[in-house]
């Protein structure tokens, strides 16, 4: 069965990219407060930092599982 | 009773928070990506569902971290995210008792003491455990109430979400309900429990990452925790009994009592008397909520137990609730804290305020909506899409959880017993798929019923709580006592439930003299649960003394004393040992409790 970390990682990478890009292209500060915080940029980076290792670990596990399946098929 | 500074804060808040949220392209993009992913996961996992056990129990193959996160997520409906932030506003940290007293101890007990019997006996559902330990009657009562109420509760959650979407986004009721229902239907129909669990894990992370920024932003808006505490130290807040809430809503401007806002920062302060925001006393909280209600829910509700039954081995099944305990204990900081931190930011949400500085306050400006109101005020386009998608995810995970538990109980415990026993496995797989559709149609139908008659919502939730309250008595006496008999278990269920329902009816008529000192629903529900537990346990014991028990051989794997103790795997690292995890969770919970005492 598919390693769940892979789709979760890809999902947050995608959403992270969307938010980070939006934060760069069209900076929005948090409304109704005095401090200037480009929250889409920062939170987009948080999502990327979460999504990337999930996707990498998931992808490696998938690759390993496939390799073992192939080994078992050969003998 | 609002001070001038508050008035100023409110008048600046109104033009923004009163407006309907307008979504931008980026918000839609995030929502669409999410919908594509949940459906995609349904399609991929659907390929693996070949037998009924694959469909209903994920082939008992999943690792503990997945079932553990699904364990929390399935229970986390939209009502929890919305309701807990509302109560954070209305009662403050006292709401965290639902987690730190009313969840963690029961979850730990479930993982360490009860899971070996649920998983070890290879039952496919909680009602099936009752059949094996007691008899067919006990199974029927449990399965029937579960099958009746689960889709209804899911319909209520659907209604609540549709109303928020209607009020804030201007979406019509019907498309909100049908679009979310069809998405959940597609993935639960195709991938069964695996799709539901996989999506629940995705939804768990999405809920956390979509709602956690609210706590951070609310802290920034309050100029930090220290500044917020200063505000709390210098203000008074309304002290409302449910009757007063109704009165204040009916007669705007009516005077309500006030108490120092510092009371909002504690979980147990002034619980010797009812002089606290929730009007509760500590024995009611500890016995009623912490023991009876919470153990009945977390240790016997199939919705959560099913996630652990999907685990790949006994150790993973035990670790399912135990791993869930850790995120669960920090959830108050992302669902309750935003409500509490909203007090200085949106101070007009208590009932009874109709105008502030000449502005008319719209009906949506109520503490019921504190979470979407805070999102509308502080989430810019982009983050708003993530936040709303998280709200939607919390609703979908709850609904899929309900539907997958419903189709399993209906198929295994009602259909395969009373309608068509001994059919081929393929037949039950199809019945399960059909019941997935039926469960969702009932949910949608109930959402419409509630829409027409909103009073039904409160009644259904209350009755479900009332019916379930005494369950734990019969389970504990079944798992940890050898003398209890099938008739004892059946009568325990009947008497416990009857007592619980009777006490609820008495409480609902305040004119009756018996119950006069429980002047609010929460305290009444806590004590009602305690008495129902005693009645259920008493009936089980008394009837067991006079009736025939099952042979010991039949109870191996079901009763503690008659089950060989599994050998402890000495090679397991400490973080995989259930007892170590359980103790760690309890110690951390105790520390958090002491911090917010």
């Amino acid at each position: 069965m598919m390693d769940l970390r892979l789709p979760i990682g890809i999902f947050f990478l995608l959403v992270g990219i969307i938010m980070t890009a939006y934060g760069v292209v069209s900076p929005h500060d948090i409304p109704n407060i005095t401090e200037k915080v480009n929250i889409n940029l920062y939170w987009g980076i948080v999502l990327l930092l979460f999504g990337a290792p999930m996707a990498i670990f998931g992808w490696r596990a998938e690759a390993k599982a496939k390799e073992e399946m192939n080994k078992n098929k050969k003998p | 009773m609002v001070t001038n500074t508050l008035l100023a804060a409110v008048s600046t808040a109104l033009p923004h928070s009163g407006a309907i949220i307008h979504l931008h392209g980026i918000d839609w993009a995030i929502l669409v990506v999410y919908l594509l992913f949940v459906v995609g996961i349904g399609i991929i996992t659907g390929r693996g569902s070949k037998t009924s056990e694959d469909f209903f129990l994920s082939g008992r193959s999943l690792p503990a971290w997945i079932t553990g996160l699904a364990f929390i997520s399935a229970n986390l409906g939209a009502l929890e995210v919305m309701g807990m932030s509302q109560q954070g506003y209305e009662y403050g940290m006292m709401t965290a008792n639902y987690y730190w007293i009313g969840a963690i101890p029961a979850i730990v007990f479930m993982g360490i003491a009860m899971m070996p019997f649920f998983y070890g006996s290879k039952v496919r559902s909680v009602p099936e455990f009752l059949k094996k330990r007691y008899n067919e009657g006990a199974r029927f009562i449990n399965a029937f109430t579960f099958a009746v109420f689960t889709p209804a509760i899911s319909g209520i959650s659907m209604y609540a979400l549709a109303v928020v979407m209607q009020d804030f986004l201007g979406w019509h009721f019907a498309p909100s309900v049908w679009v979310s229902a069809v998405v959940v239907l597609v993935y639960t129909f195709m991938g069964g429990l695996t799709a539901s669990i996989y999506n629940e894990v995705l939804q768990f992370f999405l809920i956390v990452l979509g709602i956690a920024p609210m706590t951070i932003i609310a802290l920034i808006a309050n100029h930090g925790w220290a500044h917020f505490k200063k505000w709390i130290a210098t203000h008074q807040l309304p002290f409302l009994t449910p009757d007063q809430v109704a009165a204040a809503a009916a007669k705007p401007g009516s005077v309500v009592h006030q108490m120092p806002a510092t009371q909002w920062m504690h979980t147990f302060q002034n619980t010797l008397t009812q002089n606290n925001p929730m009007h509760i006393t500590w024995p009611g909280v500890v016995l009623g909520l912490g023991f009876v209600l919470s153990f009945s829910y977390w240790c016997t509700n199939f919705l959560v137990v099913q996630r652990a039954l999907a685990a790949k081995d006994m150790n993973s099944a035990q670790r399912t609730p135990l791993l869930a305990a850790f995120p669960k204990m920090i959830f108050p900081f992302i669902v309750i804290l935003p409500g509490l931190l909203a007090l200085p930011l949106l101070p007009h949400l208590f009932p009874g305020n109709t105008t502030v500085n000449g502005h008319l306050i719209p009906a949506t400006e109520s503490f019921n909506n504190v979470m979407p109101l805070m999102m509308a005020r502080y989430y810019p386009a982009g983050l708003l899409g993530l936040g709303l998608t998280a709200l939607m995810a919390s609703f979908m995970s709850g609904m899929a959880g309900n539907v997958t538990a419903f189709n399993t109980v209906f198929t295994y415990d009602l259909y395969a017993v009373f309608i068509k026993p001994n059919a081929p496995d393929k037949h039950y797989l199809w019945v399960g798929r059909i019941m997935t559709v039926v469960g969702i149609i009932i949910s949608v139908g109930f959402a419409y019923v509630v829409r027409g008659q909103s009073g039904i919502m409160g009644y259904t939730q209350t009755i479900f709580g009332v019916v379930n309250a005494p369950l734990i008595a019969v389970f504990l006496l079944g798992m940890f006592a050898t003398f209890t008999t099938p008739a004892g278990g059946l009568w325990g269920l009947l008497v416990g439930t009857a007592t619980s329902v009777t006490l609820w009816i008495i409480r609902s008529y305040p004119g009756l003299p018996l119950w006069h000192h429980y002047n609010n629903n929460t305290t009444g529900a806590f004590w009602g649960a305690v008495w129902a537990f005693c009645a259920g346990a008493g009936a089980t014991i008394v009837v067991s003394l006079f009736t025939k028990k099952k042979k010991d051989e039949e109870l191996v794997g079901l009763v503690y004393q008659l089950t060989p103790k599994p050998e402890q795997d000495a090679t397991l690292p400490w973080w995989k040992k259930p007892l170590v995890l359980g103790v760690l969770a309890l110690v951390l919970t105790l520390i958090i409790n002491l911090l917010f005492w």
Side-chain angles (χ1 to χ4, degrees):
Chain A
M1 202 174 293
M2 164 184 61
D3 190 294
L4 181 55
R5 286 170 294 185
L6 189 61
I8 290 180
I10 296 174
F11 173 78
F12 283 103
L13 276 179
L14 269 177
V15 179
I17 290 168
I18 293 175
M19 283 182 67
T20 315
Y22 191 68
V24 173
V25 177
S26 163
H28 279 64
D29 292 319
I30 299 172
N32 299 310
I33 61 166
T34 42
E35 290 84 352
K36 298 261 172 263
V37 186
N38 184 349
I39 188 77
N40 283 327
L41 176 66
Y42 297 135
W43 204 252
I45 293 172
V46 170
L47 298 186
L48 290 177
L49 288 177
F50 173 75
M54 285 293 260
I56 292 168
F57 283 120
W59 181 72
R60 279 171 49 179
E62 281 280 287
K64 211 173 154 190
K66 260 192 195 148
E67 211 172 85
E68 274 183 18
M69 247 173 58
N70 287 339
K71 252 189 213 166
N72 292 341
K73 269 185 192 166
K74 272 178 189 169
Chain B
M1 298 280 176
V2 191
T3 64
N4 284 335
T5 41
L6 293 189
L7 284 169
V10 173
S11 58
T12 53
L14 276 176
H16 305 279
S17 52
I20 285 179
I21 301 171
H22 297 288
L23 293 186
H24 293 71
I26 180 172
D27 303 317
W28 285 106
I30 294 170
L31 188 60
V32 169
V33 169
Y34 164 74
L35 293 177
L36 289 177
F37 262 76
V38 287
V39 171
I41 286 177
I43 294 171
I44 293 171
T45 50
R47 292 186 200 142
S49 279
K50 299 213 164 47
T51 66
S52 71
E53 191 138 301
D54 289 338
F55 189 75
F56 294 123
L57 294 171
S58 299
R60 300 186 198 262
S61 63
L62 302 179
W65 74 272
I66 289 180
T67 50
L69 292 179
F71 185 90
I72 304 181
S73 200
N75 143 272
L76 187 83
L79 287 177
E80 175 162 345
V81 176
M82 301 271 297
M84 286 295 137
S85 52
Q86 175 219 319
Q87 295 204 23
Y89 189 97
E90 194 178 355
Y91 308 126
M93 287 312 289
M94 215 158 225
T95 313
N97 282 327
Y98 284 110
Y99 291 78
W100 300 333
I101 299 289
I104 308 292
I107 291 175
V108 170
F109 182 79
M110 155 80 159
I112 291 176
M114 292 179 74
M115 193 43 74
F117 304 103
F118 281 136
Y119 194 87
S121 62
K122 293 280 171 212
V123 293
R124 297 168 301 182
S125 70
V126 168
E128 192 177 351
F129 178 86
L130 286 175
K131 151 81 176 78
K132 283 193 167 182
R133 176 61 185 85
Y134 294 115
N135 57 20
E136 204 63 83
R139 156 149 70 182
F140 177 76
I141 293 173
N142 190 237
F144 182 76
T145 48
F146 190 82
V148 167
F149 280 101
T150 309
I153 296 287
S154 162
I156 289 173
S157 188
M158 187 180 257
Y159 162 80
L161 184 89
V163 167
V164 171
M165 295 300 169
Q166 192 173 329
D167 288 348
F168 285 83
L169 299 173
W171 295 358
H172 291 292
F173 187 83
S176 287
V177 164
W178 284 104
V179 168
S180 42
V182 167
V183 171
V184 173
L185 173 65
V186 168
Y187 73 76
T188 47
F189 182 84
M190 299 185 93
L193 184 64
T194 310
S196 179
I197 287 183
Y198 270 34
N199 275 324
E200 279 154 18
V201 177
L202 172 70
Q203 285 149 348
F204 169 81
F205 288 117
L206 182 57
I207 294 162
V208 172
L209 290 166
I211 291 172
M214 183 49 79
T215 304
I216 301 167
I217 293 174
L219 277 170
I220 300 174
N222 273 297
H223 308 293
W225 183 247
H227 201 268
F228 170 72
K229 279 177 78 175
K230 252 187 222 159
W231 185 93
I232 286 285
T234 52
H235 286 82
Q236 298 263 324
L237 291 169
F239 164 80
L240 303 162
T241 64
D243 294 342
Q244 286 169 323
V245 172
K251 191 181 163 206
S254 58
V255 178
V256 288
H257 298 293
Q258 303 233 333
M259 67 165 61
T262 47
Q263 184 71 56
W264 264 243
M265 303 294 280
H266 298 278
T267 50
F268 271 100
Q269 204 177 60
N270 293 329
T271 48
L272 280 175
T273 64
Q274 291 189 8
N275 197 22
N276 53 65
M278 246 184 191
H279 309 271
I280 45 175
T281 52
W282 71 268
V285 175
V286 173
L287 283 176
L289 173 66
F291 177 53
V292 183
L293 287 173
S294 116
F295 277 62
S296 284
Y297 179 77
W298 291 102
C299 302
T300 75
N301 191 306
F302 185 56
L303 171 67
V304 288
V305 175
Q306 188 181 24
R307 270 70 206 152
L309 294 186
K312 62 181 177 183
D313 53 33
M314 174 68 90
N315 178 264
S316 301
Q318 284 197 281
R319 282 189 296 132
T320 296
L322 296 171
L323 290 178
F326 294 94
K328 189 78 186 169
M329 79 177 72
I330 52 171
F331 246 78
F333 297 112
I334 62 168
V335 291
I336 297 175
L337 214 48
L340 179 66
L341 289 165
L343 283 166
L345 307 170
L346 303 170
H348 58 290
L349 302 184
F350 281 103
N353 297 318
T354 48
T355 55
V356 179
N357 272 6
H359 293 275
L360 199 65
I361 299 178
T364 45
E365 300 274 328
S366 146
F367 54 37
N368 296 332
N369 289 329
V370 64
M371 183 60 91
L373 284 170
M374 289 287 279
M375 280 187 184
R377 185 161 159 71
Y378 294 109
Y379 272 20
L383 190 60
L384 190 60
L386 186 70
L388 286 173
T389 308
L391 269 188
M392 204 158 226
S394 71
F395 153 74
M396 285 188 183
S397 64
M399 174 163 192
N402 279 308
V403 168
T404 47
F406 163 79
N407 65 21
T408 309
V409 165
F410 183 89
T411 307
Y412 281 151
D413 296 302
L414 295 172
Y415 185 84
V417 178
F418 299 103
I419 300 172
K420 193 166 182 180
N422 305 320
D425 187 70
K426 268 226 154 61
H427 179 76
Y428 294 130
L429 176 62
W430 272 104
V431 172
R433 287 214 154 106
I434 291 165
M435 289 322 289
T436 307
V437 182
V438 172
I440 285 179
I441 290 174
I442 298 174
S443 297
V444 172
F446 206 74
Y448 276 94
V449 171
V450 173
R451 189 192 185 196
Q453 185 78 46
S454 60
I456 291 172
M457 178 159 100
Y459 273 113
T460 311
Q461 286 171 312
T462 312
I463 296 171
F464 190 46
V466 164
V467 168
N468 273 336
L471 276 181
I472 190 66
V474 176
F475 277 87
L476 286 180
L477 283 165
M479 279 183 184
F480 301 100
T482 50
F483 71 91
T484 44
T485 64
L490 178 64
W491 280 101
L493 279 179
L494 289 171
V495 172
T497 308
T499 309
S500 191
V501 172
T502 310
L503 293 178
W504 172 66
I505 292 170
I506 293 174
R507 285 202 302 280
S508 307
Y509 291 95
L512 293 173
L514 269 173
W515 226 251
H516 67 279
H517 54 291
Y518 298 132
N519 58 1
N520 80 82
N521 295 334
T522 317
T523 308
F526 290 173
W527 283 108
V530 174
W531 300 127
F533 171 87
C534 295
T540 309
I541 292 169
V542 171
V543 174
S544 292
L545 293 177
F546 300 100
T547 48
K548 192 165 171 270
K549 63 178 211 162
K550 282 191 173 181
K551 289 187 193 119
D552 281 0
E553 306 89 80
E554 292 176 63
L555 300 178
V556 175
L558 304 167
V559 182
Y560 178 78
Q561 290 86 339
L562 302 173
T563 305
K565 303 291 157 291
E567 277 178 36
Q568 292 297 320
D569 183 358
T571 57
L572 277 180
W574 66 267
W575 45 272
K576 280 193 172 180
K577 289 184 176 156
L579 197 60
V580 176
L581 288 173
V583 171
L584 188 63
L586 289 179
V587 169
L588 288 175
T589 309
L590 181 68
I591 292 172
I592 300 181
N593 263 311
L594 292 175
L595 285 176
F596 287 91
W597 194 254

